[in-house]
Amino acid sequence: MSQEIICECGHKNPEGTILCEACGKPLQEDNPKQLLNMRYEGSARRSQTYNRTAIDKIWNYLSSVKVGVTLIILVLIAIAIGTIFPQNIYIPAGADPDTFYKDQYGVLGQIYKTLGFDNLYKSWWFIILIGLLGASIVVASLDRFFPLHRALKNQKVTRHERFMKKQRLFGTTPTTKGEEQLQKAEQALKEKKYKVSREKGALLAEKGRFSRWGPYVNHIGLMVVLIAAVLRFIPGMYVNETMWIREGETKALPGTHNEYYITNHKFILTTYNKQDPQYKQAIKENGSIVKSYQSDVTLFKPEGQSVLGATPKLKKLRDDQIKVNSPLEFAGYQVFQADYRLNELYKMNFTLTDQSEKKTFGKLSVNLYNPKENYDLGHGYKVKLTYYFPDFYFDDNGDPATKSDTPNNPAFIFDVTTPDKPKGETSFVAIKTNQAISKDNQYKLTFAGLDTRNVSGLIVKRDFTVWIFFVGAMIFLLGVVQGMYWQHRRIWLRKINGELWLSAHTNKNWHGIKKDIAYLTDSLGIPEPVDQLEQKVVTEERRKHS
Amino acid sequence: MSMVEISSMLLLIAFILYIFGTIVFTISVAGKKFKKNGEQTDGKGLGIAGFVITVIGFFSQVGYIFTRWKADGHFPISNLFEYTTFLSVMMILGFIIIYLIYRNNSIGMVALPIAVIVIAYASVFPREVEPLIPALQSNWLMIHVTTVSLGEGILTLSFVAGLVYLLRVIDQSKRSARTFWLEFVLLFLICAVGFALVSGIFQALGYSEKFQWVNEKGNTATLEYNVPAIAGPHDGKKLTDGFGPVFQAPSWMNGVNAPKKFNTVIWSVIGGLVIYGIIRLVLRGRRIGAVLNRIVMNVNPPLMDEISYRAVAIGFPVFTLGGIVFAAIWAQQAWSRFWGWDPKEVWALITFFFYAAYLHFRLSRGWEGEKSAWLSVIGFVIIMFNLIFVNLVIAGLHSYA
């Protein structure tokens, strides 16, 4: 099906070739006034050659740089709009996203929400855009890499006259001692670290060809990053759990399948010293400034078979301090200090007194999370907790009840038995109330202070994709540096009809190659070649001004 | 003298040297033209003098960094004053790199005044020595921020070369959309001067005006304005004597101290317009672009195009390393996720995408030269947007700097 094009130099080029792979002769009609378009060496790209079937059309569409740039710009605009109002994940806790955007930002907010900008990065159209961008990266790279590779492999030392003439840098000098000059040129260019090859009457000096592969390397890196993003959706690759753990508590770490337990000994919040001579001024302006958030913890592993529901026997692994910027790390997991609550109610203390609160008969402390039922105060004084309402209120019938298990507003019904009242007295105790339920109570439970404790908010993470992202990013960066910090420079010399022709091409950094050429022409004693592009700009301006 | 005072003095020395350097570079570029009829000088000697002045200024700024580091007890990049100043150091470093490659004086003529403007802009932010909050206590602070700003500094040089290109090639003999937008870019730079000037004047006067308002955290707080209030806080109550407010800032401006910053922006624009007007009067009505066009007449446009492109080629990987990769590594450590779509993160990604688009645009025919130069201007606007407006309008995790 495909037709080969045989150039006058004898090289067989694939269908669609623009410049002969071997000698560079333009194989298609071209504008004699314009410089050669050296992109991809004028090689035969599939996208520029076939346009018949649907596959051709899709291929051509995705391989186009214009389409690629358009996709980049569309993604750019989308994510820029996505920062106008906060994303779903950043709206205040407890706000309803359905009403939040409209209430806060009016009609614009409502449009924002309707179009899915509130959860942009997970919206189907954004994912499709990214998918198209990924496909474009793959297709565009394949479309260019193989023909380019082939063309650079097949290039010959002797180049066609028209190829040389139409390079941006080109010059001729009359000469009588051609071979001798080529010998000298070879030496000079080798000093400049060029790889020099020679044929009869011609020379090719080349350097930094590997930089041509930079774009393909960096596109591979981008594909690895995109693959990592897709892998996140596979269960088990990515664990992300939050937990609240109070001081003194031991809990299984969520997401570890009960393979690890953690005890929170203490949560510590420290602030900078107000008297600190260095920071005094700033603290005065800003109020107090936090120095650190820290949870002192111990990590455990269960031993032996665990019985469902029961806390297993734990083996201590190590003590650690979790701070911001310094997570606890073990077995691929990371535990982060993410949040905290200070001074949560923990225990309520009471003193048993007579009604006048003058005589005391002992003390008791009620754990609000796990209250004991019986308290023996000694000498025959006993207290029994008969009812406990952690989050007390009066229900519709006017009876005491609890809203939740969290001790936001604890209330109790106590039975007190004493040597002189063996049948006991009943009283209702809540914050700021103390009512006798039985008649003629002689004793009273008097509030004697609270014990509080802090709560640490931790995040448990295990992310196998992090490394894939990282490797992808590194490949990308290496590819970009390879393509950007080095350039593919070539200098051609040829002896034609008593003249020495010099032309040169680089894919970037003309300043650099000009310096190399200046060194070459200096050592050969010939004039520097002309920059035909600069000349064109100058002539155009002259024409405009005259 | 305390360390803070020494550091401020070193910064001031650099500031003055850069103004001086600007003048020297301008003469070296324009001088070519002045002597056109007689013997042509290439301005080489003056150019080297300008470069030496710049290098001395750079070392003075390096001295500022180390003395401020000592005073801070941490690398000095933790608030807007320190970060913006650091950015100016990196711009100068970017200029030094480009100068060493290309030895081009016209780049210095534009790069130095931009550094001067950035320092002036930085100097009006609060300059107290501040301790680091827990999220910032990491070696990654230094690694991440230095790399990002070096990348941004080099990318700024792409804008500088692009601007010289535009000044050189845009036909100033008649008014056009191109001359308008070029003036607009210059006006934008002048507004930064306006900002520094207005803030500096009212700071020197000790101006103060207080409002009670509900801040971004939903708490009632006092907000102190140091310039007269054109835009007051949303539903704010004035507590002291003073000017205005003429109108209220919209409620969705909810960054830290957003209405105050918004008010400052308004003042910058007013100040910028006034200065621009004065310059136009002095130039007897001629466009600033037209005058600068005469000065840079001998500049080689393809070379400027190449420098602009080269700066992106060098700066893009540096920016990506610092602004995306290092940022992600640190975010993983501090916030437990390497990417969280925080506005500042998103704008770093936008910068990345933009320069990626720039590099791809250059593959298409016809996007070299002027179009490319306009793109480098947009790139600079995006970088400045991330520096100024993301902190101003959009609250996020980065709102401290």
Side-chain angles (χ1 to χ4, degrees), chain B residues 54-82:
Chain B
T54 313
V55 171
I56 298 171
F58 175 73
F59 280 111
S60 185
Q61 273 194 313
V62 171
Y64 146 81
I65 291 174
F66 280 96
T67 44
R68 179 90 190 176
W69 190 346
K70 182 93 176 103
D72 268 352
H74 53 77
F75 196 73
I77 34 178
S78 59
N79 58 28
L80 264 180
F81 161 69
E82 291 177 348

PDB file of all heavy atoms in Angstrom, chain B residues 54-82:
ATOM      1  N   THR B  54      25.567  45.343  39.689  1.00  0.00           N
ATOM      2  CA  THR B  54      24.523  44.362  39.997  1.00  0.00           C
ATOM      3  C   THR B  54      25.058  43.259  40.903  1.00  0.00           C
ATOM      4  O   THR B  54      24.400  42.852  41.858  1.00  0.00           O
ATOM      5  CB  THR B  54      24.007  43.725  38.690  1.00  0.00           C
ATOM      6  OG1 THR B  54      23.742  44.741  37.745  1.00  0.00           O
ATOM      7  CG2 THR B  54      22.743  42.936  38.951  1.00  0.00           C
ATOM      8  N   VAL B  55      26.260  42.779  40.592  1.00  0.00           N
ATOM      9  CA  VAL B  55      26.819  41.681  41.385  1.00  0.00           C
ATOM     10  C   VAL B  55      27.067  42.145  42.821  1.00  0.00           C
ATOM     11  O   VAL B  55      26.773  41.422  43.782  1.00  0.00           O
ATOM     12  CB  VAL B  55      28.105  41.141  40.733  1.00  0.00           C
ATOM     13  CG1 VAL B  55      28.802  40.158  41.656  1.00  0.00           C
ATOM     14  CG2 VAL B  55      27.772  40.464  39.415  1.00  0.00           C
ATOM     15  N   ILE B  56      27.560  43.378  42.983  1.00  0.00           N
ATOM     16  CA  ILE B  56      27.767  43.894  44.347  1.00  0.00           C
ATOM     17  C   ILE B  56      26.416  43.957  45.071  1.00  0.00           C
ATOM     18  O   ILE B  56      26.286  43.534  46.225  1.00  0.00           O
ATOM     19  CB  ILE B  56      28.426  45.295  44.328  1.00  0.00           C
ATOM     20  CG1 ILE B  56      29.817  45.202  43.676  1.00  0.00           C
ATOM     21  CG2 ILE B  56      28.552  45.849  45.743  1.00  0.00           C
ATOM     22  CD1 ILE B  56      30.472  46.548  43.412  1.00  0.00           C
ATOM     23  N   GLY B  57      25.398  44.474  44.351  1.00  0.00           N
ATOM     24  CA  GLY B  57      24.053  44.528  44.937  1.00  0.00           C
ATOM     25  C   GLY B  57      23.576  43.144  45.333  1.00  0.00           C
ATOM     26  O   GLY B  57      23.001  42.958  46.408  1.00  0.00           O
ATOM     27  N   PHE B  58      23.844  42.172  44.481  1.00  0.00           N
ATOM     28  CA  PHE B  58      23.422  40.791  44.752  1.00  0.00           C
ATOM     29  C   PHE B  58      24.081  40.292  46.040  1.00  0.00           C
ATOM     30  O   PHE B  58      23.413  39.722  46.906  1.00  0.00           O
ATOM     31  CB  PHE B  58      23.805  39.905  43.569  1.00  0.00           C
ATOM     32  CG  PHE B  58      23.532  38.446  43.802  1.00  0.00           C
ATOM     33  CD1 PHE B  58      22.230  37.966  43.791  1.00  0.00           C
ATOM     34  CD2 PHE B  58      24.571  37.568  44.040  1.00  0.00           C
ATOM     35  CE1 PHE B  58      21.972  36.625  44.004  1.00  0.00           C
ATOM     36  CE2 PHE B  58      24.315  36.216  44.261  1.00  0.00           C
ATOM     37  CZ  PHE B  58      23.025  35.756  44.240  1.00  0.00           C
ATOM     38  N   PHE B  59      25.390  40.545  46.189  1.00  0.00           N
ATOM     39  CA  PHE B  59      26.060  40.063  47.401  1.00  0.00           C
ATOM     40  C   PHE B  59      25.554  40.797  48.635  1.00  0.00           C
ATOM     41  O   PHE B  59      25.471  40.233  49.723  1.00  0.00           O
ATOM     42  CB  PHE B  59      27.575  40.158  47.259  1.00  0.00           C
ATOM     43  CG  PHE B  59      28.125  39.004  46.469  1.00  0.00           C
ATOM     44  CD1 PHE B  59      28.660  39.183  45.209  1.00  0.00           C
ATOM     45  CD2 PHE B  59      28.046  37.709  46.984  1.00  0.00           C
ATOM     46  CE1 PHE B  59      29.128  38.114  44.466  1.00  0.00           C
ATOM     47  CE2 PHE B  59      28.502  36.636  46.254  1.00  0.00           C
ATOM     48  CZ  PHE B  59      29.058  36.833  44.992  1.00  0.00           C
ATOM     49  N   SER B  60      25.195  42.065  48.440  1.00  0.00           N
ATOM     50  CA  SER B  60      24.614  42.806  49.545  1.00  0.00           C
ATOM     51  C   SER B  60      23.301  42.142  49.981  1.00  0.00           C
ATOM     52  O   SER B  60      23.018  41.984  51.160  1.00  0.00           O
ATOM     53  CB  SER B  60      24.379  44.250  49.112  1.00  0.00           C
ATOM     54  OG  SER B  60      23.919  45.007  50.193  1.00  0.00           O
ATOM     55  N   GLN B  61      22.521  41.716  48.980  1.00  0.00           N
ATOM     56  CA  GLN B  61      21.262  41.035  49.307  1.00  0.00           C
ATOM     57  C   GLN B  61      21.515  39.670  49.950  1.00  0.00           C
ATOM     58  O   GLN B  61      20.778  39.257  50.843  1.00  0.00           O
ATOM     59  CB  GLN B  61      20.423  40.862  48.045  1.00  0.00           C
ATOM     60  CG  GLN B  61      19.544  42.063  47.768  1.00  0.00           C
ATOM     61  CD  GLN B  61      18.489  41.760  46.725  1.00  0.00           C
ATOM     62  OE1 GLN B  61      18.788  41.185  45.689  1.00  0.00           O
ATOM     63  NE2 GLN B  61      17.263  42.137  46.998  1.00  0.00           N
ATOM     64  N   VAL B  62      22.554  38.983  49.491  1.00  0.00           N
ATOM     65  CA  VAL B  62      22.914  37.712  50.131  1.00  0.00           C
ATOM     66  C   VAL B  62      23.256  37.978  51.590  1.00  0.00           C
ATOM     67  O   VAL B  62      22.857  37.228  52.490  1.00  0.00           O
ATOM     68  CB  VAL B  62      24.080  37.029  49.382  1.00  0.00           C
ATOM     69  CG1 VAL B  62      24.591  35.833  50.165  1.00  0.00           C
ATOM     70  CG2 VAL B  62      23.632  36.589  47.997  1.00  0.00           C
ATOM     71  N   GLY B  63      23.970  39.106  51.820  1.00  0.00           N
ATOM     72  CA  GLY B  63      24.274  39.508  53.191  1.00  0.00           C
ATOM     73  C   GLY B  63      22.997  39.754  53.978  1.00  0.00           C
ATOM     74  O   GLY B  63      22.876  39.335  55.137  1.00  0.00           O
ATOM     75  N   TYR B  64      22.018  40.404  53.322  1.00  0.00           N
ATOM     76  CA  TYR B  64      20.715  40.610  53.966  1.00  0.00           C
ATOM     77  C   TYR B  64      20.134  39.271  54.399  1.00  0.00           C
ATOM     78  O   TYR B  64      19.648  39.106  55.521  1.00  0.00           O
ATOM     79  CB  TYR B  64      19.752  41.326  53.008  1.00  0.00           C
ATOM     80  CG  TYR B  64      18.314  40.885  53.187  1.00  0.00           C
ATOM     81  CD1 TYR B  64      17.529  41.426  54.214  1.00  0.00           C
ATOM     82  CD2 TYR B  64      17.762  39.887  52.380  1.00  0.00           C
ATOM     83  CE1 TYR B  64      16.236  40.995  54.413  1.00  0.00           C
ATOM     84  CE2 TYR B  64      16.475  39.449  52.574  1.00  0.00           C
ATOM     85  CZ  TYR B  64      15.708  40.001  53.594  1.00  0.00           C
ATOM     86  OH  TYR B  64      14.434  39.546  53.799  1.00  0.00           O
ATOM     87  N   ILE B  65      20.185  38.256  53.491  1.00  0.00           N
ATOM     88  CA  ILE B  65      19.579  36.961  53.800  1.00  0.00           C
ATOM     89  C   ILE B  65      20.229  36.352  55.046  1.00  0.00           C
ATOM     90  O   ILE B  65      19.537  35.908  55.965  1.00  0.00           O
ATOM     91  CB  ILE B  65      19.718  35.992  52.602  1.00  0.00           C
ATOM     92  CG1 ILE B  65      18.847  36.468  51.445  1.00  0.00           C
ATOM     93  CG2 ILE B  65      19.327  34.568  53.010  1.00  0.00           C
ATOM     94  CD1 ILE B  65      19.023  35.665  50.182  1.00  0.00           C
ATOM     95  N   PHE B  66      21.561  36.374  55.084  1.00  0.00           N
ATOM     96  CA  PHE B  66      22.225  35.710  56.214  1.00  0.00           C
ATOM     97  C   PHE B  66      22.008  36.446  57.529  1.00  0.00           C
ATOM     98  O   PHE B  66      21.771  35.822  58.560  1.00  0.00           O
ATOM     99  CB  PHE B  66      23.718  35.527  55.918  1.00  0.00           C
ATOM    100  CG  PHE B  66      23.959  34.343  55.026  1.00  0.00           C
ATOM    101  CD1 PHE B  66      24.102  34.488  53.661  1.00  0.00           C
ATOM    102  CD2 PHE B  66      24.003  33.060  55.571  1.00  0.00           C
ATOM    103  CE1 PHE B  66      24.302  33.391  52.831  1.00  0.00           C
ATOM    104  CE2 PHE B  66      24.194  31.953  54.762  1.00  0.00           C
ATOM    105  CZ  PHE B  66      24.348  32.112  53.395  1.00  0.00           C
ATOM    106  N   THR B  67      22.043  37.792  57.496  1.00  0.00           N
ATOM    107  CA  THR B  67      21.825  38.516  58.754  1.00  0.00           C
ATOM    108  C   THR B  67      20.384  38.358  59.229  1.00  0.00           C
ATOM    109  O   THR B  67      20.113  38.175  60.409  1.00  0.00           O
ATOM    110  CB  THR B  67      22.148  40.017  58.588  1.00  0.00           C
ATOM    111  OG1 THR B  67      21.580  40.464  57.356  1.00  0.00           O
ATOM    112  CG2 THR B  67      23.646  40.238  58.548  1.00  0.00           C
ATOM    113  N   ARG B  68      19.461  38.373  58.271  1.00  0.00           N
ATOM    114  CA  ARG B  68      18.044  38.197  58.627  1.00  0.00           C
ATOM    115  C   ARG B  68      17.814  36.772  59.141  1.00  0.00           C
ATOM    116  O   ARG B  68      17.017  36.548  60.046  1.00  0.00           O
ATOM    117  CB  ARG B  68      17.198  38.468  57.372  1.00  0.00           C
ATOM    118  CG  ARG B  68      15.715  38.319  57.554  1.00  0.00           C
ATOM    119  CD  ARG B  68      15.050  39.609  57.983  1.00  0.00           C
ATOM    120  NE  ARG B  68      13.678  39.350  58.359  1.00  0.00           N
ATOM    121  CZ  ARG B  68      12.844  40.236  58.854  1.00  0.00           C
ATOM    122  NH1 ARG B  68      13.227  41.473  59.021  1.00  0.00           N
ATOM    123  NH2 ARG B  68      11.617  39.912  59.197  1.00  0.00           N
ATOM    124  N   TRP B  69      18.508  35.816  58.561  1.00  0.00           N
ATOM    125  CA  TRP B  69      18.432  34.412  58.990  1.00  0.00           C
ATOM    126  C   TRP B  69      18.818  34.322  60.464  1.00  0.00           C
ATOM    127  O   TRP B  69      18.161  33.696  61.278  1.00  0.00           O
ATOM    128  CB  TRP B  69      19.383  33.590  58.113  1.00  0.00           C
ATOM    129  CG  TRP B  69      19.261  32.102  58.244  1.00  0.00           C
ATOM    130  CD1 TRP B  69      18.613  31.395  59.216  1.00  0.00           C
ATOM    131  CD2 TRP B  69      19.805  31.110  57.361  1.00  0.00           C
ATOM    132  NE1 TRP B  69      18.716  30.057  58.987  1.00  0.00           N
ATOM    133  CE2 TRP B  69      19.445  29.849  57.855  1.00  0.00           C
ATOM    134  CE3 TRP B  69      20.581  31.186  56.184  1.00  0.00           C
ATOM    135  CZ2 TRP B  69      19.830  28.662  57.226  1.00  0.00           C
ATOM    136  CZ3 TRP B  69      20.961  30.003  55.568  1.00  0.00           C
ATOM    137  CH2 TRP B  69      20.584  28.760  56.087  1.00  0.00           C
ATOM    138  N   LYS B  70      19.936  35.002  60.784  1.00  0.00           N
ATOM    139  CA  LYS B  70      20.427  35.013  62.151  1.00  0.00           C
ATOM    140  C   LYS B  70      19.369  35.621  63.073  1.00  0.00           C
ATOM    141  O   LYS B  70      19.082  35.097  64.152  1.00  0.00           O
ATOM    142  CB  LYS B  70      21.721  35.836  62.195  1.00  0.00           C
ATOM    143  CG  LYS B  70      22.395  35.909  63.533  1.00  0.00           C
ATOM    144  CD  LYS B  70      23.435  34.807  63.670  1.00  0.00           C
ATOM    145  CE  LYS B  70      24.184  34.925  64.986  1.00  0.00           C
ATOM    146  NZ  LYS B  70      23.791  33.998  66.000  1.00  0.00           N
ATOM    147  N   ALA B  71      18.773  36.736  62.634  1.00  0.00           N
ATOM    148  CA  ALA B  71      17.785  37.415  63.466  1.00  0.00           C
ATOM    149  C   ALA B  71      16.522  36.573  63.627  1.00  0.00           C
ATOM    150  O   ALA B  71      15.927  36.522  64.699  1.00  0.00           O
ATOM    151  CB  ALA B  71      17.436  38.769  62.855  1.00  0.00           C
ATOM    152  N   ASP B  72      16.108  35.900  62.546  1.00  0.00           N
ATOM    153  CA  ASP B  72      14.882  35.115  62.555  1.00  0.00           C
ATOM    154  C   ASP B  72      15.025  33.821  63.341  1.00  0.00           C
ATOM    155  O   ASP B  72      14.077  33.310  63.918  1.00  0.00           O
ATOM    156  CB  ASP B  72      14.528  34.710  61.108  1.00  0.00           C
ATOM    157  CG  ASP B  72      13.614  35.711  60.437  1.00  0.00           C
ATOM    158  OD1 ASP B  72      13.154  36.616  61.141  1.00  0.00           O
ATOM    159  OD2 ASP B  72      13.355  35.569  59.235  1.00  0.00           O
ATOM    160  N   GLY B  73      16.222  33.245  63.268  1.00  0.00           N
ATOM    161  CA  GLY B  73      16.391  31.900  63.811  1.00  0.00           C
ATOM    162  C   GLY B  73      15.933  30.845  62.812  1.00  0.00           C
ATOM    163  O   GLY B  73      15.881  29.663  63.131  1.00  0.00           O
ATOM    164  N   HIS B  74      15.525  31.247  61.632  1.00  0.00           N
ATOM    165  CA  HIS B  74      15.171  30.305  60.565  1.00  0.00           C
ATOM    166  C   HIS B  74      15.393  30.996  59.231  1.00  0.00           C
ATOM    167  O   HIS B  74      15.536  32.225  59.186  1.00  0.00           O
ATOM    168  CB  HIS B  74      13.726  29.827  60.696  1.00  0.00           C
ATOM    169  CG  HIS B  74      12.728  30.931  60.789  1.00  0.00           C
ATOM    170  ND1 HIS B  74      12.317  31.660  59.704  1.00  0.00           N
ATOM    171  CD2 HIS B  74      12.106  31.485  61.867  1.00  0.00           C
ATOM    172  CE1 HIS B  74      11.462  32.582  60.093  1.00  0.00           C
ATOM    173  NE2 HIS B  74      11.318  32.512  61.394  1.00  0.00           N
ATOM    174  N   PHE B  75      15.420  30.226  58.144  1.00  0.00           N
ATOM    175  CA  PHE B  75      15.669  30.825  56.834  1.00  0.00           C
ATOM    176  C   PHE B  75      14.600  31.873  56.538  1.00  0.00           C
ATOM    177  O   PHE B  75      13.409  31.596  56.702  1.00  0.00           O
ATOM    178  CB  PHE B  75      15.687  29.730  55.767  1.00  0.00           C
ATOM    179  CG  PHE B  75      16.312  30.177  54.483  1.00  0.00           C
ATOM    180  CD1 PHE B  75      17.685  30.343  54.394  1.00  0.00           C
ATOM    181  CD2 PHE B  75      15.530  30.440  53.368  1.00  0.00           C
ATOM    182  CE1 PHE B  75      18.264  30.763  53.214  1.00  0.00           C
ATOM    183  CE2 PHE B  75      16.110  30.860  52.185  1.00  0.00           C
ATOM    184  CZ  PHE B  75      17.487  31.026  52.107  1.00  0.00           C
ATOM    185  N   PRO B  76      15.001  33.082  56.120  1.00  0.00           N
ATOM    186  CA  PRO B  76      14.041  34.197  56.089  1.00  0.00           C
ATOM    187  C   PRO B  76      13.091  34.180  54.882  1.00  0.00           C
ATOM    188  O   PRO B  76      13.257  34.939  53.933  1.00  0.00           O
ATOM    189  CB  PRO B  76      14.936  35.431  56.050  1.00  0.00           C
ATOM    190  CG  PRO B  76      16.184  34.965  55.381  1.00  0.00           C
ATOM    191  CD  PRO B  76      16.348  33.527  55.742  1.00  0.00           C
ATOM    192  N   ILE B  77      12.120  33.284  54.926  1.00  0.00           N
ATOM    193  CA  ILE B  77      11.126  33.239  53.845  1.00  0.00           C
ATOM    194  C   ILE B  77       9.751  32.893  54.390  1.00  0.00           C
ATOM    195  O   ILE B  77       8.965  32.227  53.741  1.00  0.00           O
ATOM    196  CB  ILE B  77      11.496  32.196  52.763  1.00  0.00           C
ATOM    197  CG1 ILE B  77      12.189  31.030  53.413  1.00  0.00           C
ATOM    198  CG2 ILE B  77      12.317  32.790  51.656  1.00  0.00           C
ATOM    199  CD1 ILE B  77      12.548  29.940  52.481  1.00  0.00           C
ATOM    200  N   SER B  78       9.461  33.346  55.614  1.00  0.00           N
ATOM    201  CA  SER B  78       8.227  32.863  56.225  1.00  0.00           C
ATOM    202  C   SER B  78       7.068  33.849  56.165  1.00  0.00           C
ATOM    203  O   SER B  78       5.966  33.507  56.552  1.00  0.00           O
ATOM    204  CB  SER B  78       8.491  32.475  57.672  1.00  0.00           C
ATOM    205  OG  SER B  78       8.970  33.581  58.373  1.00  0.00           O
ATOM    206  N   ASN B  79       7.280  35.077  55.724  1.00  0.00           N
ATOM    207  CA  ASN B  79       6.125  35.966  55.538  1.00  0.00           C
ATOM    208  C   ASN B  79       6.272  36.727  54.224  1.00  0.00           C
ATOM    209  O   ASN B  79       7.264  36.563  53.513  1.00  0.00           O
ATOM    210  CB  ASN B  79       5.950  36.902  56.730  1.00  0.00           C
ATOM    211  CG  ASN B  79       7.184  37.752  56.975  1.00  0.00           C
ATOM    212  OD1 ASN B  79       7.933  38.058  56.058  1.00  0.00           O
ATOM    213  ND2 ASN B  79       7.398  38.127  58.220  1.00  0.00           N
ATOM    214  N   LEU B  80       5.291  37.551  53.899  1.00  0.00           N
ATOM    215  CA  LEU B  80       5.276  38.170  52.569  1.00  0.00           C
ATOM    216  C   LEU B  80       6.483  39.079  52.325  1.00  0.00           C
ATOM    217  O   LEU B  80       7.036  39.100  51.234  1.00  0.00           O
ATOM    218  CB  LEU B  80       3.986  38.965  52.361  1.00  0.00           C
ATOM    219  CG  LEU B  80       2.882  38.207  51.622  1.00  0.00           C
ATOM    220  CD1 LEU B  80       1.662  39.083  51.462  1.00  0.00           C
ATOM    221  CD2 LEU B  80       3.344  37.704  50.260  1.00  0.00           C
ATOM    222  N   PHE B  81       6.874  39.828  53.355  1.00  0.00           N
ATOM    223  CA  PHE B  81       8.051  40.686  53.188  1.00  0.00           C
ATOM    224  C   PHE B  81       9.268  39.843  52.818  1.00  0.00           C
ATOM    225  O   PHE B  81       9.967  40.116  51.845  1.00  0.00           O
ATOM    226  CB  PHE B  81       8.337  41.475  54.477  1.00  0.00           C
ATOM    227  CG  PHE B  81       9.744  42.000  54.550  1.00  0.00           C
ATOM    228  CD1 PHE B  81      10.161  43.005  53.692  1.00  0.00           C
ATOM    229  CD2 PHE B  81      10.661  41.463  55.453  1.00  0.00           C
ATOM    230  CE1 PHE B  81      11.468  43.472  53.736  1.00  0.00           C
ATOM    231  CE2 PHE B  81      11.968  41.932  55.499  1.00  0.00           C
ATOM    232  CZ  PHE B  81      12.373  42.932  54.636  1.00  0.00           C
ATOM    233  N   GLU B  82       9.495  38.785  53.605  1.00  0.00           N
ATOM    234  CA  GLU B  82      10.704  37.990  53.389  1.00  0.00           C
ATOM    235  C   GLU B  82      10.642  37.231  52.071  1.00  0.00           C
ATOM    236  O   GLU B  82      11.616  37.147  51.330  1.00  0.00           O
ATOM    237  CB  GLU B  82      10.892  37.006  54.558  1.00  0.00           C
ATOM    238  CG  GLU B  82      11.235  37.720  55.847  1.00  0.00           C
ATOM    239  CD  GLU B  82      11.346  36.785  57.037  1.00  0.00           C
ATOM    240  OE1 GLU B  82      10.944  35.606  56.923  1.00  0.00           O
ATOM    241  OE2 GLU B  82      11.813  37.216  58.077  1.00  0.00           O
TER     242      GLU B  82
END
